[in-house]
Amino acid sequence: MKIAYLVNQYPKISHSFIRREILALERQGVQVERIAMRGWADELTDASDRNERGLTRYVLQDGAMALVKATLSTFVSAPGRFLSALALTVKIGLRAERPLPLHFIYLAEACRVLGWLRASGATHLHAHFGTNSAEVAMLVNALGGPAYSFTVHGPEEFDKPGLLWLGEKIRRAAFVLAVSSFGRSQLFRWARYQDWEKVKVVHCGIDSAFHDVPAVPPPAARRVVCVGRLCEQKGQLLLVRAVAALARRGVDIELVLAGDGEMRAEIEALVAAERIQARVRITGWINGDQVREEMLAARAMVLASFAEGLPVVVMEAMALRRPVVSTYIAGIPELVIHGENGWLCAAGDVEALADTLEQCVNTPVEQLQRMGEAGYARVLARHTVDTEAAKIVRHIGALQGAGKV
């Protein structure tokens, strides 16, 4: 089986789950061609990502003339299919979040990807995210390329499904993957009923780097760690306010924000305004090994998210036997069971978050250890990457068996 993976930006610090999925597919004998629009010049802290970059072909790396040549070649070889794909591009671009000229670029990108797929012999194209990468995959198919599928993570796709033409992408796809049952339910909202059977759940997976390690007991330190991009949907500003509320109560707590992002300056300003600089540390971007070290040095991993799909860092924390503090949103309650392997509270409620964090830091280490073991068992049962990759192989194999490639 030879397939291609299409991602807007790859490799990327926050997309390690895609790398793990590709490597798991290859362990099962699948040949995977990596294709991305951009990412060839990004700074990468992880050696595995640097290796992946060497295996990836980049659509935009050679400039505009490469796209022009690919577009002209595609038009000359199959003008009817090209005009049909052009009509689809115009239909989408006239009612989309991004202006029509960008969709013409997506069509040109599709022409270039089509040539690569034909040259390599790839029989299936899978895109990650239901945004522009899924549109390019759809256009490749409209141009005469192979069947395609795509994984929807959320929350971006659920914020603007109409402008992203999710229903059209699902209708034309061979199948669509959601990373949680919640995600599947959201796709059901925008898919025709006759397309519901196309929507499958394949979880993001964790690999042995996280779960095949000796158990490390939770530390006595009253430290929690939040891992993720510093952005509005992750709720770090609310988390800082909760820590400040605990400080006013006289509760001893330390917060580590492991990551970086567009809201770092605003978060740092709030930390200073609340005078809790001694309680909050921001690491900046760190690699996978450093993330693991920060998780093991904390008694719990916390996410105060307002919007999510099903965060991979929740799986990683549980694989390291750390309880999780998070919010009752999206797919998180499918994995985090309140009182069993973590704590859940209402999203957007700073007092509820503060109360939950206080409960966490006051929990005896022995109970934290029991919760960590419960989380470890649950995440291995639901999110082992090789098990989840095997589901993808079966879905693609079923298409090949039915002659739908």
Side-chain angles (χ1 to χ4, degrees):
M1 184 184 292
K2 185 164 189 177
I3 68 173
Y5 259 51
L6 180 65
V7 188
N8 182 46
Q9 187 174 354
Y10 183 82
K12 188 177 179 182
I13 293 172
S14 57
H15 291 172
S16 57
F17 56 90
I18 301 177
R19 181 188 72 228
R20 289 198 288 262
E21 186 173 280
I22 290 173
L23 295 178
L25 288 169
E26 291 182 328
R27 285 194 294 273
Q28 299 186 38
V30 180
Q31 297 180 59
V32 183
E33 181 178 2
R34 295 115 161 113
I35 300 174
M37 309 306 172
R38 54 182 58 83
W40 63 87
D42 292 352
E43 182 180 353
L44 299 172
T45 60
D46 197 299
S48 298
D49 281 336
R50 291 194 293 270
N51 183 66
E52 283 296 292
R53 181 163 58 193
L55 300 172
T56 304
R57 303 182 76 170
Y58 292 98
V59 177
L60 299 174
Q61 187 173 14
D62 300 322
M65 283 308 300
L67 294 180
V68 171
K69 289 178 181 178
T71 303
L72 291 175
S73 175
T74 305
F75 172 71
V76 169
S77 63
R81 285 191 176 276
F82 180 86
L83 292 175
S84 177
L86 177 62
L88 176 60
T89 302
V90 172
K91 181 177 79 169
I92 290 173
L94 287 176
R95 190 174 64 82
E97 180 187 32
R98 295 182 172 183
L100 180 60
L102 278 177
H103 296 269
F104 291 140
I105 295 174
Y106 299 158
L107 177 59
E109 292 171 348
C111 290
R112 192 163 200 218
V113 171
L114 176 65
W116 288 348
L117 297 182
R118 286 177 171 167
S120 70
T123 59
H124 187 84
L125 177 61
H126 184 75
H128 262 277
F129 305 102
T131 51
N132 60 315
S133 53
E135 181 173 336
V136 172
M138 179 174 64
L139 292 173
V140 168
N141 178 254
L143 289 166
Y148 75 95
S149 54
F150 62 100
T151 297
V152 173
H153 293 267
E156 288 83 2
E157 296 98 331
F158 307 144
D159 288 343
K160 47 198 174 187
L163 294 176
L164 291 175
W165 289 78
L166 268 186
E168 184 76 11
K169 291 171 181 175
I170 295 169
R171 184 178 72 81
R172 292 172 176 264
F175 61 87
V176 181
L177 304 181
V179 300
S180 67
S181 183
F182 168 81
R184 177 172 55 187
S185 75
Q186 298 309 292
L187 293 177
F188 282 173
R189 296 178 59 204
W190 299 98
R192 303 177 306 172
Y193 177 69
Q194 56 265 45
D195 290 330
W196 279 19
E197 285 301 314
K198 292 183 179 182
V199 184
K200 318 290 184 180
V201 175
V202 172
H203 300 117
C204 292
I206 53 170
D207 58 23
S208 58
F210 275 88
H211 59 75
D212 283 351
V213 295
V216 177
R222 299 164 68 86
R223 179 185 303 119
V224 295
V225 60
C226 173
V227 181
R229 175 179 288 276
L230 305 183
C231 60
E232 51 81 22
Q233 72 191 43
K234 298 294 184 182
Q236 287 103 345
L237 289 172
L238 191 82
L239 182 54
V240 168
R241 287 181 58 192
V243 171
L246 291 177
R248 289 191 291 272
R249 297 181 194 176
V251 176
D252 182 24
I253 185 172
E254 178 189 354
L255 169 65
V256 177
L257 296 175
D260 214 325
E262 57 270 24
M263 292 190 69
R264 178 167 183 165
E266 191 172 354
I267 292 168
E268 289 176 331
L270 180 60
V271 169
E274 295 283 2
R275 299 182 181 180
I276 53 173
Q277 295 95 325
R279 296 175 180 263
V280 179
R281 172 168 61 91
I282 301 177
T283 67
W285 291 123
I286 54 178
N287 63 32
D289 290 340
Q290 292 168 312
V291 168
R292 185 163 51 250
E293 291 168 5
E294 292 290 357
M295 285 186 177
L296 290 173
R299 58 172 40 212
M301 204 279 295
V302 57
L303 281 180
S305 301
F306 305 146
E308 284 289 357
L310 179 50
V312 174
V313 293
V314 170
M315 306 163 206
E316 294 175 342
M318 295 172 97
L320 292 173
R321 297 174 171 86
R322 290 297 179 263
V324 174
V325 177
S326 195
T327 49
Y328 280 107
I329 64 164
I332 292 173
E334 296 175 35
L335 190 55
V336 180
I337 309 301
H338 183 75
E340 179 180 316
N341 55 33
W343 296 268
L344 295 172
C345 61
D349 187 332
V350 66
E351 290 301 320
L353 179 58
D355 291 344
T356 306
L357 286 172
E358 184 173 5
Q359 183 179 356
C360 171
V361 297
N362 286 334
T363 298
V365 169
E366 296 77 14
Q367 184 179 343
L368 290 176
Q369 200 159 0
R370 289 193 295 271
M371 296 175 78
E373 290 294 340
Y376 177 79
R378 185 167 179 80
V379 78
L380 259 63
R382 297 170 61 90
H383 291 275
T384 299
V385 69
D386 291 296
T387 302
E388 299 307 305
K391 296 178 184 178
I392 300 175
V393 174
R394 288 198 297 271
H395 293 319
I396 298 174
L399 295 176
Q400 294 179 339
K404 296 180 180 180
V405 296

